[in-house]
Amino acid sequence: MVDELLDIDSHEDKSSPVIKTLEGSSSPQNNELITSRFLELIKELQKEGIDYQLTGPFSAYLKYDKDFADTFASIQIHLNEKDMERFKKICQEISLDVKDRRLSSPKIIKDGVSLGDEAVLVYYGTELFLEVFCFERLVDGTIISKDYYHDDENNPRARESIFSSKLAKEVFGRDSILYFGYLIPIVSWEYLYLMKDGNQNFLDFIETKVDQRKISNIRSLLKTDKVVQFVMVDELPESSQINSNLMENDNSKISQMLLDSTREFSETENLEFLKTKQLRKIDENYERGAITRYAVVVVFLCLLILILIGLILTKLFL
């Protein structure tokens, strides 16, 4: 059930799930060890075609190395939930331990801000290695970024940030880093800078690297092409068997609605369509009621027309 659906711009989203510092995280590890583990993981993710993006300070470290001499307690990535089972298998094969608590997230939402550890964490032994931010990719390119938490009754919930396909392309699909022969997709630094996501050292560093035209474009799109909703979590998305980027492998209800549409939608119309349908949470009783109300209105108008025709005929022949 959707509790709330609202428009949101870059000034209102005070706790974007793209990148946060883990509370109670371990002390910074040796960057060379983290990098070697990361390359081992990336090699397998790339080979399996996993849908992911690197985000945050570590992306700056990979690109600029000594120019951004920061230390890291962990790395942050975005991961398509439909690839979660394959991701877990890969991690297991390289001695990484995935803790998946999406249905029992330790997080809470207080005054619009997320508090607590991420729902999906990856450990190397006892050391935190990865923080995983989950998302879904719909068939038209729309991205639903998810922040799992629990409410006062301990029910599993998620704050879903929905990026239209046009905005998603700017934020998640434009930028990458070539590192040791691997083209690693990253979340746009312009978006992270706008949302003030990341530590101050990172934000100060990328301020000199961001493209002001991209910032202006993303800022404008955030006003029209992003919405947020808070939902109960009844089930997790099904895993893909082949490639989650292909339309044929996305059988979510909202994707089927998009595929079954009888006309093409523009980018913004797509978002309006999603908002109207409240994404995947369709109230069929409401739709049936709407059809019934429409039928009543049509009948009433037909009767009104017949009465007017009768009055006109009466005046003509009397």
Side-chain angles (χ1 to χ4, degrees):
M1 175 181 179
V2 177
D3 297 318
E4 188 175 355
L5 185 67
L6 59 145
D7 290 305
I8 189 162
D9 64 24
S10 59
H11 301 292
E12 295 173 332
D13 191 1
K14 298 179 181 178
S15 55
S16 168
V18 172
I19 170 71
K20 298 184 182 67
T21 300
L22 185 71
E23 295 183 359
S25 60
S26 61
S27 59
Q29 303 170 48
N30 184 293
N31 285 359
E32 291 183 2
L33 288 176
I34 288 185
T35 302
S36 64
R37 293 171 194 158
F38 177 75
L39 284 175
E40 188 177 9
L41 175 64
I42 290 303
K43 176 182 177 181
E44 299 303 320
L45 296 185
Q46 302 275 74
K47 184 170 69 175
E48 291 295 320
I50 300 298
D51 188 6
Y52 78 97
Q53 304 94 33
L54 178 66
T55 186
F58 193 70
S59 61
Y61 174 74
L62 289 190
K63 185 172 179 66
Y64 292 102
D65 193 13
K66 298 297 187 295
D67 290 338
F68 184 64
D70 208 344
T71 51
F72 309 93
S74 61
I75 300 170
Q76 295 80 27
I77 67 168
H78 270 226
L79 178 69
N80 191 328
E81 286 187 298
K82 293 184 179 181
D83 289 336
M84 183 64 75
E85 293 309 311
R86 291 195 295 158
F87 173 76
K88 289 179 180 178
K89 183 178 179 182
I90 288 171
C91 287
Q92 184 179 19
E93 290 173 349
I94 59 175
S95 302
L96 295 174
D97 184 22
V98 181
K99 302 295 184 184
D100 184 356
R101 300 180 292 178
R102 284 174 290 170
L103 293 179
S104 57
S105 174
K107 271 192 173 185
I108 61 171
I109 299 289
K110 185 175 182 180
D111 298 327
V113 177
S114 298
L115 302 174
D117 295 349
E118 293 302 323
V120 181
L121 300 174
V122 181
Y123 289 86
Y124 180 75
T126 59
E127 294 181 338
L128 177 65
F129 175 56
L130 282 179
E131 297 172 70
V132 179
F133 305 119
C134 299
F135 72 89
E136 282 188 77
R137 186 189 299 276
L138 303 185
V139 293
D140 71 331
T142 296
I143 291 287
I144 305 175
S145 184
K146 299 183 179 181
D147 195 10
Y148 286 95
Y149 67 99
H150 66 270
D151 61 20
D152 293 339
E153 286 75 41
N154 214 34
N155 297 310
R157 307 178 71 86
R159 174 171 50 198
E160 299 184 337
S161 301
I162 303 99
F163 299 74
S164 77
S165 53
K166 187 173 184 178
L167 177 57
K169 185 181 297 182
E170 295 297 325
V171 174
F172 303 105
R174 290 287 189 199
D175 300 318
S176 60
I177 295 172
L178 184 61
Y179 194 74
F180 279 90
Y182 296 105
L183 196 62
I184 301 172
I186 67 170
V187 174
S188 162
W189 286 351
E190 285 76 18
Y191 176 75
L192 296 178
Y193 182 75
L194 270 176
M195 307 308 294
K196 304 304 178 187
D197 282 322
N199 61 49
Q200 194 58 48
N201 188 26
F202 169 64
L203 294 175
D204 290 342
F205 179 78
I206 64 173
E207 184 176 11
T208 63
K209 310 296 182 183
V210 295
D211 185 323
Q212 293 301 322
R213 287 176 298 178
K214 287 185 179 180
I215 285 182
S216 178
N217 187 36
I218 291 174
R219 182 186 283 118
S220 177
L221 287 171
L222 283 169
K223 296 176 181 178
T224 58
D225 283 47
K226 182 181 179 183
V227 294
V228 171
Q229 67 175 7
F230 298 83
V231 302
M232 293 285 289
V233 179
D234 299 319
E235 58 184 2
L236 298 174
E238 294 181 7
S239 298
S240 60
Q241 298 301 313
I242 309 174
N243 187 338
S244 56
N245 291 315
L246 296 178
M247 284 187 177
E248 292 79 0
N249 297 320
D250 188 342
N251 58 3
S252 64
K253 291 180 181 178
I254 187 64
S255 285
Q256 288 305 311
M257 286 162 51
L258 289 168
L259 287 173
D260 293 342
S261 299
T262 56
R263 67 183 180 91
E264 293 295 327
F265 291 95
S266 70
E267 305 288 355
T268 303
E269 285 177 328
N270 258 348
L271 192 67
E272 293 301 319
F273 178 69
L274 297 175
K275 287 162 61 179
T276 301
K277 290 297 184 181
Q278 297 196 10
L279 300 171
R280 292 147 296 128
K281 319 298 189 293
I282 305 170
D283 188 339
E284 295 180 354
N285 290 327
Y286 174 82
E287 290 192 342
R288 284 196 292 268
I291 293 173
T292 301
R293 290 193 295 273
Y294 176 76
V296 170
V297 171
V298 170
V299 170
F300 175 77
L301 290 175
C302 289
L303 289 174
L304 184 60
I305 291 171
L306 289 174
I307 291 172
L308 290 174
I309 292 174
L311 290 174
I312 292 172
L313 291 175
T314 299
K315 288 186 177 181
L316 287 175
F317 292 102
L318 288 179

